[in-house]
Amino acid sequence: MSINPVVWFEIYVDDMSRAKAFYETVLGVSIEPLPIPDMADEDSGGPDSGLEMMAFPMQQGGAGAAGALVRMPGFPMNGNGTIVYFNSDDCAVEAGRVAEAGGTLERDKMSIGEYGFIALATDPDGNMFGLHSQK
């Protein structure tokens, strides 16, 4: 496969306001509401289902994957084991914001050889995520 196979990600959360503030603070981005389509089966989504989604910045034709924070009634967050890596210029910068935003830094910036550097953290809902940079 010649393209990035990751096309979308969802981070399930219990408290949308807290999650939005956390990721906006750590990543320095604006996270915006994602309209929920009107679906025939209300249990699978739709504006009155209680489903709430907030989208990370998306750019058409850009590199990387788009994704959203998701709060879904009846589907509690449980640290599901998916790790999403967010790109940065220097992952130590974003790692330095984690604790003050309410998360936990699990592994400070470390080298992954020719592939750059990563840091690992958990958000206030217990979701682990990674930060990646080339320097």
Side-chain angles (χ1 to χ4, degrees):
M1 182 174 282
S2 62
I3 61 169
N4 179 349
V6 179
V7 295
W8 182 258
F9 64 87
E10 294 178 345
I11 300 173
Y12 285 80
V13 302
D14 289 325
D15 183 326
M16 184 60 79
S17 296
R18 177 181 67 190
K20 179 180 185 296
F22 176 81
Y23 283 103
E24 285 182 333
T25 299
V26 171
L27 300 175
V29 298
S30 179
I31 298 173
E32 302 296 328
L34 188 62
I36 306 301
D38 189 15
M39 302 159 107
D41 179 4
E42 191 173 290
D43 291 335
S44 63
D48 298 323
S49 68
L51 177 66
E52 184 178 8
M53 297 179 81
M54 300 290 288
F56 285 87
M58 299 182 216
Q59 86 189 118
Q60 294 294 327
L69 299 172
V70 179
R71 189 189 64 75
M72 183 183 309
F75 193 84
M77 196 307 302
N78 62 359
N80 60 17
T82 300
I83 299 179
V84 174
Y85 284 85
F86 295 100
N87 187 44
S88 63
D89 290 330
D90 180 351
C91 63
V93 173
E94 288 82 359
R97 298 178 187 149
V98 170
E100 69 185 65
T104 303
L105 187 60
E106 302 292 338
R107 181 85 188 236
D108 209 353
K109 181 179 177 179
M110 63 181 227
S111 173
I112 54 171
E114 67 183 281
Y115 302 107
F117 297 86
I118 63 167
L120 296 172
T122 52
D123 70 12
D125 284 297
N127 292 301
M128 183 171 281
F129 65 96
L131 300 162
H132 176 266
S133 61
Q134 288 299 320
K135 60 178 184 171

